[in-house]
Structures are given as structure tokens and as C-alpha cells.
């Protein structure tokens, strides 16, 4: 029996975007043809709203977006938050204190904008990647932060990132989700939150069976989404975990 795809969810970096972190005219045109044929297109990323809107508006996507690795479902067309699950303030502060003790650079995302203690080379590299400036607060983030956090992002060198993640998992078991979206990016969101959970929630809101959803991704934070979708697709440049979860492999980027 032929499967009818009604919704396509796609990661941005390393997936929909090319090696220059831009959307090619060919890809943009393909997405527009898909939507003309009646298929929904949802962008799904660890990025925040401000870093997603330029692509959502350029493509004219016709479905809500998955942001912060699944912590937020947001419809940019109506500016409506459909679903939100953030790290509680006390937990966010405890994680921040540990990262500071370990000397790890990190950023926090309260919902609009993102913040760091001081601007560093890691900050500059990240800013050039998403084209949204970070705001330094010039004091420890653990003392500055107020309220819950949709996401925290630690940027750690390749040789240390797994050890940092293991330490966090050891000290905060069952309290938060720690996932790699890039060889040096450790994403921290609320417990039980990932792109797969958000994709199921989005499909349910749209009245679309998950079997009729196709999802594309390349990073460790995409594995749950690829597993959840009826048709999961990993890029050739994807992690081995993504490829194992996928039904199909697409060309790189």
C-alpha cells in the first residue's frame, strides 16, 4: 500500500541548509512545490524563534515550527505558542552552577534572545552560524538568570563533550535531557523533551497520523524525530544513530 505523506518535518543545519548554512534556490523551490501539492512543511531545530523566522518566511512554511529541540511549538503565522515545556528556574540555576564550576562556556535561552556571561570566540562562531547576536550579562549566568529556560547550550571541545554530558546526567538523573546536536554543542532541555515528542504533538494538533509524517535530520538531536516519523530520513552526513533510526538515506545536506 502506498503511504500518503501529509506533513514533512525537517531539521535546518546540516539537513535543509547547505554547507554554507544557507537555503539553496533548488531546495526552496522543491519545498514550495510540495506545499502547493497540499503537504505541510514544518521546520524543526534547536534554534530559537529569531533564528528560524528568516527561513520560515522565505520558504513560506505552512505549518507550525518545532524550536529549542522540541521545547516549543510555535506558529509564526499567528504568533501563537502551541506548546511549551521549559527547564524550571531552580534546575536551570543548578545546571548553570555546575557548568561554571567545570569552566564550560554556555548560553541560556529564556524565550526571546539568548545570553552569555562574556563574548568569547565560541560566542562569535555561534553568532556567525545563526546570524543572531548574543547578549553578554557580565556576571555569572547562574546569579543573573530569572525564570525558566527553554534551553541551555554548552559549547565544549570535542574531546571533552561526552565527559561533560556524562557528569550532568550523573548529577541530574531524570531531571533534564542532554543531547548533542553538533560535535561541540550539548543541548539541555526539560526532561522528556525532544524533537520526536514535539513532532507527535504537532501531528496530533494537525490531525495527521504519525505514519503519514516524513522527517529529515542529521544530528543526535534528530534521532528521536526520525524514529517517530512514519518515514524517517537521515542525511548522508548524519550521525550513525540517525542512520540506524532512518528508513531512507538522502544525499548530504
Amino acid at each position: 500500500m502506498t503511504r500518503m505523506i501529509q506533513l514533512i518535518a525537517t531539521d535546518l543545519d546540516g539537513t535543509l541548509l547547505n554547507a554554507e548554512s544557507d537555503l539553496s534556490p533548488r531546495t526552496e523551490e522543491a519545498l514550495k512545490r510540495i506545499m502547493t501539492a497540499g503537504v505541510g512543511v514544518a521546520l524543526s531545530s534547536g534554534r530559537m524563534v529569531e533564528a528560524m523566522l528568516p527561513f520560515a518566511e522565505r520558504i513560506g512554511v505552512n505549518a507550525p515550527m518545532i524550536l529549542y529541540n522540541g521545547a516549543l511549538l510555535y506558529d509564526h503565522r499567528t504568533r501563537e505558542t502551541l506548546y511549551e515545556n521549559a527547564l524550571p528556574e531552580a534546575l536551570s540555576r543548578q545546571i548553570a552552577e555546575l557548568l561554571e564550576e567545570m569552566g564550560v562556556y554556555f548560553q541560556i535561552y529564556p524565550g526571546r534572545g539568548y545570553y552569555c556571561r562574556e563574548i568569547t570566540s565560541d560566542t562569535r562562531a555561534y553568532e556567525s552560524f545563526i546570524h543572531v547576536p548574543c547578549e553578554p550579562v557580565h556576571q555569572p549566568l547562574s546569579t543573573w538568570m530569572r525564570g525558566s529556560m527553554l534551553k541551555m547550550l554548552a559549547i565544549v571541545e570535542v574531546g571533552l563533550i561526552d565527559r561533560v554530558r556524562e557528569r550532568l546526567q550523573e548529577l541530574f538523573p531524570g531531571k533534564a535531557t542532554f543531547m548533542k546536536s553538533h560535535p561541540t554543542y550539548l543541548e539541555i532541555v526539560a526532561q522528556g523533551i525532544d524533537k520526536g515528542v514535539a513532532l507527535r504533538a504537532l501531528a496530533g494538533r494537525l490531525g495527521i497520523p504519525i505514519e503519514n509524517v516524513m522527517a529529515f535530520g542529521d544530528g543526535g538531536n534528530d534521532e528521536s524525530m526520525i524514529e517517530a516519523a512514519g518515514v524517517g530520513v537521515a542525511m548522508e552526513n548524519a550521525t550513525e544513530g540517525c542512520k540506524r533510526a532512518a528508513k531512507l538515506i538522502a544525499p548530504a545536506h
Side-chain angles (χ1 to χ4, degrees), residues 16-35:
L16 192 68
L17 306 184
N18 59 27
E20 287 71 47
S21 295
D22 197 9
L23 184 69
S24 74
R26 179 174 179 268
T27 299
E28 183 177 350
E29 179 57 32
L31 291 173
K32 289 177 178 177
R33 289 203 309 271
I34 289 167
M35 291 186 289

Side-chain angles (χ1 to χ4, degrees), residues 43 48 50 64 92 100 128 139 145 171 185 202-203 208 210:
L43 302 183
M48 57 185 171
E50 298 93 320
S92 299
E100 287 164 353
S128 67
Q139 62 178 287
M145 64 169 57
L171 291 178
Y185 291 177
L202 176 58
I208 296 174
I210 196 68

Side-chain angles (χ1 to χ4, degrees), residues 50-72:
E50 298 93 320
M52 294 274 276
L53 279 177
F55 295 105
E57 291 171 350
R58 178 173 163 186
I59 297 163
V61 293
N62 58 355
M65 300 186 289
I66 297 171
L67 303 107
Y68 302 106
N69 292 306
L72 179 68

Side-chain angles (χ1 to χ4, degrees), residues 118-135:
E118 303 291 349
I119 299 295
T120 69
S121 58
D122 287 324
T123 321
R124 294 300 185 203
Y126 186 82
E127 288 175 329
S128 67
F129 188 53
I130 68 164
H131 307 295
V132 178
C134 185
E135 185 171 337

Side-chain angles (χ1 to χ4, degrees), residues 223-244:
E223 292 177 21
S224 61
M225 180 173 71
I226 289 172
E227 289 175 347
V231 180
V233 185
M235 315 310 289
E236 184 57 45
N237 53 291
T239 64
E240 289 306 312
C242 274
K243 290 178 179 178
R244 286 193 297 269

